Amino acid sequence: MAKVYTGASMSIDGYISGPDDTGFDQLFKWYSNGDVELEMSTPEIPFKLTKQSAEYFTRVLNDTGALVCGRHLWNFTNAWGGKHPLGTPVVVLTHSVPDGWPQEGEYFTFVTEGIEAAVAKATELANGKNVGLNSGQIASQALEAGLIDEVLVDLVPVLLGAGTPFFSGLSKRPVVLDGPIELVQGKDVTHLRYKVIGQPQ
């Protein structure tokens, strides 16, 4: 059965980026510290992982049929140059559709009706595969709405001290996770997967 998950590279102290969108050189060091090159849809963004990370990452990618992200990440990456590196459809949750979009042949669908509508659209586009959600506000909104089945953490040995947390502002807490139901040790990263098993109503 297809799942909805959220995943991110996260510092030991719980941040997915440092202050003012910094720290990515540390958080994503594991993307290029190995000998196994993964072929992505955007060859200008290289992925060279260790064998352990490559096997784990490839399995996650092969099981993912669509992604949901927020407008901030879409803007910050400049829409990944027109196509996400994973090559999957991306649903962008936003308050308003940016000028000039949608564009014919592009990989982005814009949803303005809220997180439930965004996940529903991504599930449709995923065609039976899993749906991956961006961390941060998107993940927090989806968790509050009871939409997330699993949490994937790529835990990186760095302390950022401040920035954007993986989850924040949860009014329904604590959220209980089972696991890790999977643990893979890479270089400069530990891949962890947890199942969401309960949260207050």
Side-chain angles (χ1 to χ4, degrees):
M1 182 177 176
K3 299 181 181 70
V4 176
Y5 72 88
T6 181
S9 287
M10 186 184 79
S11 67
I12 292 290
D13 51 348
Y15 295 103
I16 57 171
S17 71
D20 301 319
D21 293 321
T22 58
F24 298 117
D25 57 329
Q26 296 295 322
L27 290 172
F28 298 114
K29 185 187 297 183
W30 64 273
Y31 277 16
S32 58
N33 65 3
D35 299 321
V36 181
E37 187 165 359
L38 298 187
E39 184 175 340
M40 310 300 282
S41 65
T42 50
E44 65 274 10
I45 303 177
F47 284 74
K48 293 188 71 173
L49 312 181
T50 63
K51 179 177 181 291
Q52 294 86 347
S53 289
E55 290 175 353
Y56 172 82
F57 198 50
T58 298
R59 181 158 37 83
V60 172
L61 300 188
N62 288 343
D63 289 341
T64 301
L67 302 170
V68 178
C69 78
R71 180 70 177 273
H72 175 76
L73 180 61
W74 188 82
N75 287 342
F76 180 75
T77 62
N78 194 28
W80 294 279
K83 186 178 183 181
H84 193 279
L86 306 189
T88 59
V90 176
V91 174
V92 183
L93 180 58
T94 180
H95 292 296
S96 61
V97 178
D99 292 340
W101 294 82
Q103 298 177 7
E104 185 177 355
E106 293 295 344
Y107 288 79
F108 305 106
T109 301
F110 296 89
V111 170
T112 59
E113 295 84 7
I115 189 63
E116 292 90 348
V119 171
K121 184 61 179 179
T123 300
E124 174 190 329
L125 295 172
N127 196 27
K129 290 189 173 184
N130 295 340
V131 171
L133 307 185
N134 185 41
S135 51
Q137 291 185 357
I138 293 291
S140 299
Q141 291 175 25
L143 193 63
E144 294 270 66
L147 299 174
I148 294 180
D149 300 304
E150 293 184 352
V151 176
L152 279 59
V153 178
D154 300 312
L155 189 63
V156 177
V158 64
L159 297 169
L160 295 179
T164 302
F166 197 136
F167 292 100
S168 64
L170 298 176
S171 61
K172 298 177 181 179
R173 55 186 186 269
V175 177
V176 182
L177 306 179
D178 179 33
I181 58 176
E182 184 172 8
L183 187 158
V184 176
Q185 184 61 58
K187 181 181 178 183
D188 299 321
V189 64
T190 303
H191 307 287
L192 302 161
R193 186 163 62 96
Y194 297 89
K195 181 180 180 182
V196 178
I197 59 175
Q199 66 187 71
Q201 299 301 312

